[in-house]
């Protein structure tokens, strides 16, 4: 059964959310984590760059983090969805969790983003093995190998250029039906040895783990051992909008140095906030949000319970 009231509601059970919950548990704040199980990197074979466990698998990372929460009896993990979230006049947050209402003193949003995937025959088999969305995460696996970059928009040349730290050659395939790049960007790519091709990518050739190329609609095949793509990534869900949190031009949640949003009592961490979208950063932001959230509850009577020990911590106020 879901608890009727908690001190903190963490929405999202990825690295950021589980990190926040870990620290809320360490501060002994009754916490509910609601996890829809749709973490962005679950398709990846490996998660890289994590201190002390490089590499691991995304599923093993999540399994270990969930197991670690067992030592904190104040934290409960629920597999489900938060479909609505509001703040009452008394400052209490009311969440609809799988059709039931849960009241919380604080909210931590770690709902992540969703990537727009390329429309390619064979993508499901190759995604996470030799097709990737994150150069920083998976670029080192492409060292000295041919890479094709797919995507759209003005950010694409910079995205492709990131792969020059590892891959060779790097080729950018531009779909004429997608937003393109300007002549200055084309010249800059040429200066760095990135070939720009025009065409619509339709299929991957080769077996998973042995990618051979990208086939275009006109019949050409562009050689590639790896494919990276960047079309768009959008915040998952609209809970931040429901609460009135300030968003940036990409729809990401703006936060201060303590991961506090523009709405008092609401924190956010991970890919749903601006900045680098890396698992180690999500873990760190989640820890910061968890500590800030837990500390903000000092001296405040919990819903249906006694106040947490200690004086209030004023520095965790908005702004």
């Amino acid at each position: 059964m879901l608890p009727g009231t908690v001190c903190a509601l963490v929405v999202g059970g990825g690295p950021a959310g589980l990190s926040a919950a870990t620290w809320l548990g360490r501060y002994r704040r009754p916490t509910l984590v609601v996890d829809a199980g749709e973490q962005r990197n679950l398709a990846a074979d490996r998660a890289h760059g994590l201190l002390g466990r490089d590499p691991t698998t995304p599923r093993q990372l999540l399994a270990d983090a969930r197991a670690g929460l067992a030592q904190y009896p104040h934290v409960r993990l629920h597999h489900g969805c938060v479909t609505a979230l509001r703040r009452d006049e008394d400052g209490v947050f009311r969440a609809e969790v799988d059709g039931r209402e849960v009241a919380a003193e604080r909210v931590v949003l770690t709902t992540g983003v969703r990537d727009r995937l390329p429309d390619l025959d064979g993508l499901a088999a190759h995604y996470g093995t030799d097709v990737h969305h994150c150069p920083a995460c998976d670029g080192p696996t492409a060292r000295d190998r041919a890479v094709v970059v797919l995507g759209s928009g003005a950010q694409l040349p910079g995205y492709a250029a990131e792969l020059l730290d590892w891959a060779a050659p790097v080729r950018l395939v531009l779909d004429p039906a997608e937003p393109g790049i300007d002549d200055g960007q084309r010249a800059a790519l040429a200066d760095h040895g990135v070939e720009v091709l025009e065409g619509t990518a339709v299929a991957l050739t080769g077996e998973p783990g042995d990618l051979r190329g990208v086939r275009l609609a006109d019949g050409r095949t562009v050689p590639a051992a790896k494919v990276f793509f960047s079309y768009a990534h959008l915040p998952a869900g609209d809970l931040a909008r429901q609460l009135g949190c300030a968003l940036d031009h990409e729809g990401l949640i703006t936060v201060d140095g303590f991961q506090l949003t523009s709405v008092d009592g609401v924190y956010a961490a991970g890919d749903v906030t601006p900045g680098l979208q890396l698992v180690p950063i999500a873990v760190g932001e989640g820890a910061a949000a968890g500590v800030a959230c837990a500390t903000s509850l000092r001296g405040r009577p919990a819903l249906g319970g006694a106040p947490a020990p200690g004086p209030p911590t004023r520095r965790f106020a908005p702004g």
Side-chain angles (χ1 to χ4, degrees):
M1 298 293 290
L2 285 168
T5 61
V6 291
C7 282
L9 170 67
V10 179
V11 187
L18 295 177
S19 179
T22 296
W23 283 93
L24 282 159
R26 291 180 63 80
Y27 277 85
R28 299 188 298 175
R29 306 299 191 245
T31 299
L32 174 66
V33 183
V34 180
D35 177 22
E38 298 176 351
Q39 284 75 28
R40 183 186 189 188
N41 68 345
L42 284 181
D45 288 345
R46 295 286 187 274
H48 300 278
L50 284 155
L51 187 64
R53 52 187 313 163
D54 184 10
T56 186
T57 69
R59 294 185 186 278
Q60 188 62 54
L61 176 65
L62 293 177
D64 290 346
R66 291 165 183 155
L69 287 178
Q71 65 186 297
Y72 302 114
H74 292 83
V75 179
R76 295 181 61 177
L77 181 62
H78 173 75
H79 182 75
C81 294
V82 177
T83 53
L85 189 53
R86 72 181 192 275
R87 185 186 187 194
D88 287 347
E89 292 182 359
D90 59 2
V92 175
F93 297 95
R94 308 281 177 181
E96 184 175 325
V97 183
D98 295 337
R100 295 195 58 192
E101 183 176 278
V102 175
E105 292 281 344
R106 299 287 188 270
V107 170
V108 184
L109 297 175
T110 63
T111 47
V113 298
R114 299 285 179 267
D115 291 287
R116 176 189 159 192
L117 303 178
D119 185 10
L120 292 172
D121 185 26
L123 176 65
H126 287 272
Y127 189 30
T129 299
D130 35 36
V131 177
H132 311 281
H133 64 257
C134 177
C137 305
D138 296 292
T141 68
R143 52 186 174 271
D144 303 322
R145 306 175 77 185
V147 163
V148 163
V149 176
L150 305 174
S152 64
Q155 90 292 340
L156 197 57
Y159 177 91
E162 286 190 58
L163 290 156
L164 294 172
D165 285 319
W166 306 283
V170 176
R171 298 183 177 95
L172 175 58
V173 176
L174 292 176
D175 189 333
E178 296 283 350
I181 61 177
D182 61 33
D183 291 341
Q185 291 175 313
R186 289 175 181 268
L189 287 170
D191 288 343
H192 288 85
V194 177
E195 182 181 4
V196 179
L197 305 173
E198 304 284 343
T200 301
V202 295
L204 301 170
T205 64
E207 297 298 318
D210 186 26
L211 184 68
R212 297 304 178 90
V214 177
R215 190 169 73 249
L216 307 184
D218 60 12
R220 289 178 293 165
T221 296
V222 184
K226 290 277 187 177
V227 170
F228 285 79
F229 67 88
S230 177
Y231 291 94
H233 53 262
L234 301 174
D238 67 345
L239 297 180
R241 292 184 185 275
Q242 291 182 30
L243 291 170
C245 298
L247 308 175
D248 71 1
H249 66 285
E250 293 184 304
L252 301 175
I253 307 171
T254 59
V255 293
D256 67 8
F258 299 110
Q259 305 301 131
L260 181 64
T261 73
S262 63
V263 176
D264 191 18
V266 180
Y267 300 80
D271 289 356
V272 78
T273 63
L276 290 173
Q277 296 178 338
L278 299 173
V279 172
I281 290 176
V283 172
E285 289 181 354
V291 171
C293 180
T295 310
S296 74
L297 290 163
R298 285 178 181 161
R300 180 182 175 90
L303 291 172
T313 304
R314 291 175 293 172
R315 71 172 181 272
F316 295 126

